[in-house]
Amino acid sequence: MGNKLSHLSISRLNTAERLQFFINTGFYFSMQIRGKYSLHDLHAQHEDREYRAINECFHRIFQCLRGIGDSHEPRMPDDTVLLMLNDIAKEANLQEELNWAIEEATKLLANI
């Protein structure tokens, strides 16, 4: 398949284009990662469901960012996305990690 990055020149893009590129890359990469986890990996330190939950959280975050970036794309309300993230994290016993991330993001908002 090869490395697609060797053909890109991200530095030529303006800030909005770079932001959109990374948002879309994250969104589509998270889609491709679904189903790639293996319970057969004896060296894995996390259970399969944790990896799936982490990926699903990132997929939802990127989905939200894509919707914000494209005002023409119908999107899920932000509060709904947060509730989904909470449900996914709770189910995979990752709520403490999600709560920390939300607290840190909220602190940064206070500095804006």
Side-chain angles (χ1 to χ4, degrees):
M1 178 122 204
N3 181 353
K4 299 291 184 189
L5 295 177
S6 62
H7 302 292
L8 293 175
S9 183
I10 300 298
S11 61
R12 291 187 205 169
L13 302 175
N14 67 39
T15 301
E17 291 169 331
R18 289 193 328 265
L19 181 60
Q20 198 61 44
F21 170 80
F22 283 109
I23 287 169
N24 286 325
T25 299
F27 175 76
Y28 290 118
F29 188 53
S30 69
M31 287 176 66
Q32 291 298 308
I33 297 303
R34 288 177 170 170
K36 295 283 186 182
Y37 317 109
S38 174
L39 289 174
H40 306 296
D41 183 359
L42 300 176
H43 303 292
Q45 295 189 13
H46 297 282
E47 292 182 33
D48 189 48
R49 67 184 176 88
E50 289 175 323
Y51 281 127
R52 288 183 189 278
I54 291 166
N55 185 66
E56 189 61 25
C57 284
F58 283 118
H59 179 71
R60 295 298 172 189
I61 290 168
F62 282 114
Q63 182 180 35
C64 189
L65 288 171
R66 287 185 74 218
I68 291 168
D70 182 4
S71 59
H72 303 294
E73 181 179 315
R75 65 186 196 93
M76 196 176 303
D78 297 339
D79 291 338
T80 302
V81 173
L82 289 174
L83 290 173
M84 290 174 74
L85 290 175
N86 189 60
D87 289 345
I88 294 165
K90 184 188 286 186
E91 192 174 300
N93 198 26
L94 297 168
Q95 201 159 22
E96 184 177 329
E97 290 83 353
L98 176 63
N99 287 341
W100 180 84
I102 290 171
E103 287 174 17
E104 293 300 309
T106 303
K107 287 179 197 174
L108 292 174
L109 280 178
N111 294 328
I112 296 176

